[in-house]
Amino acid sequence: MKSITRYLVINISIWALLAALGAGFILTSLFRTSAEDSFDGQLDMVLKMLVGELATQLFSSENLSRPGSLGQPRFELPLSGWYWTVSRANKDELVFASLSLGGENFTIDSQSEKQYTGGIGRYLLGKGPDGKRIRILEREISFGPNQSYYFRVTGNASELDAQISAFQNRAWLLMVLFGVVLLVVSLFLVRTALRPLGILQRRVRDVAVGKSEAIVGDYPVEVSGLVEEANILISSNKDTLERARTQLGNLAHALKTPLSVITNEVRSSDLKNADMLVQQVDVMRDQIQLYLDRARFAARHNTIGSVTTVDPVLKKLTGVMSKIHPEKMVDYECVAGDGICFRGEAQDLEEMVGNLIDNACKWATGRVVVSLTEEQSGGSVKQRPKKTTNARRWLKILVEDDGPGISEGKIEEALKRGKRLDESKPGSGLGLSIVTEMASLYQGTFSLARSPLGGLKAELLLPALREE
């Protein structure tokens, strides 16, 4: 059931095949029965004519004379398979035979007996003088004491078999065509019936990439309820996130002023532990800011339809950083091509990449290189995100510099929140830890390594999609 179309096609194909086979067997069986009955009816008619020709002679005890052609020229054509004979029942002595036998006789297969309707005769199978299969109708008729005769009429069974075989070939060809037509029509109906699901998929994608704020369009009653519930969920999600952002902003503003007042009062007091209290207030400010940032990032990440085109953002950031650090050469290279998008807010992307470029410019000797590439799920990345089921594409942003870099042993320490390895450079020490936390919230990864330029290489891997 991973594909409704595949499920329906497979089942329709099976039932179409069974229907064609069943219809073919029924049709050919009915025709065989009808052909055999018609063939036997011809033999019965000829036998009645033969009995009618000889009955008057037998009852009057006149000398018997050979019957004519009985209106059937086939009985005069040598070895035609159509024969008749009249023989005495007590001695099985041949009295008359058709000219088509040519003085020979046919043999009867005793194991092929079939009782005739009404019990007044029987059908047998045998072989003619030339060895061909024949179908035989035999009746025993008595015209008085010691005057019982066997009347036998045969027909060419090969003709019957050829007729049945020709019909079967045509019938099976017709069934094959019927099955193909049935399958094609069924496929057309399946595609037509499931077309609204394809339209629904595109409308949902429009919401996911930010082209639409809701799922629009008219849909069948089977999915219209699902569309309505999804639109309600999207609207509720946006309202909830907007309220959360508002509350976070209010909380940040409400805490900022009291903390500033406490800091100023402690610094202006004569308390011996003033420095320690100021330090603890700073810790409180950092912790509050940390969890406010986490909540804000999570709210943005869970916003349905948040999509950002990456290339313009990186071009803008590299241009801004070139002006902030005019003494450094900031190069940008896009290998991913146009249309690669980040599944998230533009503000978060700017904050992550801005921190990395700014940090690289601070440490670079003279050059910073920013590159954008695209990867498919399962690519050769050392730290692959654990949850990759919902994102098939990933964008990789590399920020490299030609500065002194850091040793591998200090990489983990550099990622800790508030940790600064060199106090001579400006900053709070929060940049790399913020990038790590934000990348993790988007189910991406952030790592540091040695750059071929000689300095540090920052690698940021984030979920992506392609604009259509």
Side-chain angles (χ1 to χ4, degrees), residues 72-90:
Q72 298 286 339
R74 292 179 294 184
F75 289 98
E76 296 182 356
L77 184 64
L79 304 179
S80 63
W82 295 85
Y83 315 119
W84 59 261
T85 62
V86 178
S87 59
R88 299 184 186 278
N90 54 355

Side-chain angles (χ1 to χ4, degrees), residues 2 42 45 48 123 139 165 209 287 313 352 371 416:
K2 290 184 179 180
Q42 295 182 46
M45 181 183 64
K48 289 178 179 178
Y123 285 101
R139 288 186 185 175
S165 178
V209 300
Q287 291 296 317
V313 174
M352 287 186 285
S371 61
K416 292 181 179 178

Side-chain angles (χ1 to χ4, degrees), residues 63-132:
N63 294 328
L64 299 179
S65 60
R66 177 190 301 275
S69 65
L70 304 178
Q72 298 286 339
R74 292 179 294 184
F75 289 98
E76 296 182 356
L77 184 64
L79 304 179
S80 63
W82 295 85
Y83 315 119
W84 59 261
T85 62
V86 178
S87 59
R88 299 184 186 278
N90 54 355
K91 299 179 181 180
D92 201 11
E93 176 186 349
L94 186 62
V95 178
F96 294 116
S98 64
L99 296 177
S100 56
L101 272 172
E104 302 291 337
N105 203 349
F106 51 81
T107 59
I108 299 176
D109 184 0
S110 60
Q111 297 181 352
S112 63
E113 181 176 337
K114 175 185 176 182
Q115 293 299 321
Y116 182 70
T117 304
I120 58 176
R122 58 180 181 172
Y123 285 101
L124 307 168
L125 294 177
K127 291 183 180 180
D130 55 354
K132 293 181 180 179

Side-chain angles (χ1 to χ4, degrees), residues 228-295:
E228 293 177 2
E229 294 297 329
N231 283 331
I232 293 173
L233 178 62
I234 294 171
S235 177
S236 176
N237 179 71
K238 290 182 178 180
D239 293 342
T240 301
L241 293 175
E242 189 61 34
R243 287 195 298 270
R245 287 177 178 176
T246 302
Q247 295 297 328
L248 288 173
N250 294 339
L251 178 61
H253 181 74
L255 293 176
K256 183 177 179 180
T257 301
L259 288 176
S260 298
V261 172
I262 293 174
T263 301
N264 293 334
E265 290 296 326
V266 171
R267 285 177 177 173
S268 61
S269 66
D270 297 331
L271 297 175
K272 296 181 180 181
N273 298 328
D275 293 339
M276 183 187 68
L277 292 176
V278 171
Q279 183 181 5
Q280 294 301 314
V281 171
D282 290 339
V283 172
M284 291 173 59
R285 184 181 291 109
D286 288 343
Q287 291 296 317
I288 291 172
Q289 188 62 40
L290 168 64
Y291 288 104
L292 286 176
D293 288 344
R294 285 182 175 177

Side-chain angles (χ1 to χ4, degrees), residues 156-167:
N156 193 339
S158 299
E159 294 180 8
L160 176 62
D161 294 339
Q163 183 182 8
I164 294 174
S165 178
F167 177 84

Side-chain angles (χ1 to χ4, degrees), residues 163-381:
Q163 183 182 8
I164 294 174
S165 178
F167 177 84
Q168 287 179 337
N169 293 335
R170 292 192 295 268
W172 284 117
L173 178 60
L174 180 63
M175 289 302 104
V176 170
L177 294 177
F178 168 74
V180 171
V181 171
L182 180 61
L183 182 59
V184 171
V185 172
S186 300
L187 291 178
F188 174 76
L189 293 177
V190 169
R191 298 284 300 201
T192 303
L194 296 182
R195 186 176 299 168
L197 295 182
I199 298 174
L200 177 59
Q201 182 182 14
R202 291 192 291 272
R203 297 294 180 267
V204 172
R205 181 176 177 82
D206 290 342
V207 175
V209 300
K211 293 182 179 180
S212 177
E213 294 184 354
I215 303 173
V216 296
D218 295 328
Y219 301 95
V221 294
E222 289 79 5
V223 296
S224 59
L226 174 63
V227 173
E228 293 177 2
E229 294 297 329
N231 283 331
I232 293 173
L233 178 62
I234 294 171
S235 177
S236 176
N237 179 71
K238 290 182 178 180
D239 293 342
T240 301
L241 293 175
E242 189 61 34
R243 287 195 298 270
R245 287 177 178 176
T246 302
Q247 295 297 328
L248 288 173
N250 294 339
L251 178 61
H253 181 74
L255 293 176
K256 183 177 179 180
T257 301
L259 288 176
S260 298
V261 172
I262 293 174
T263 301
N264 293 334
E265 290 296 326
V266 171
R267 285 177 177 173
S268 61
S269 66
D270 297 331
L271 297 175
K272 296 181 180 181
N273 298 328
D275 293 339
M276 183 187 68
L277 292 176
V278 171
Q279 183 181 5
Q280 294 301 314
V281 171
D282 290 339
V283 172
M284 291 173 59
R285 184 181 291 109
D286 288 343
Q287 291 296 317
I288 291 172
Q289 188 62 40
L290 168 64
Y291 288 104
L292 286 176
D293 288 344
R294 285 182 175 177
R296 177 166 52 86
F297 299 154
R300 287 179 189 162
H301 169 257
N302 290 324
T303 301
I304 298 176
S306 298
V307 177
T308 304
T309 305
V310 182
D311 187 57
V313 174
L314 297 188
K315 287 180 179 178
K316 182 181 73 172
L317 288 175
T318 52
V320 171
M321 291 301 170
S322 297
K323 295 178 181 179
I324 296 176
H325 304 277
E327 73 283 359
K328 307 294 174 64
M329 181 176 63
V330 181
D331 297 329
Y332 170 63
E333 179 184 5
C334 179
V335 185
D338 298 332
I340 186 69
C341 296
F342 163 58
R343 285 181 177 268
E345 294 277 355
Q347 183 178 347
D348 292 341
L349 181 63
E350 292 176 358
E351 188 165 356
M352 287 186 285
V353 180
N355 273 322
L356 297 180
I357 300 177
D358 182 59
N359 185 71
C361 289
K362 291 177 183 178
W363 291 94
T365 302
R367 186 186 180 197
V368 174
V369 178
V370 180
S371 61
L372 171 64
T373 59
E374 181 185 7
E375 290 191 355
Q376 299 291 332
S377 295
S380 57
V381 177

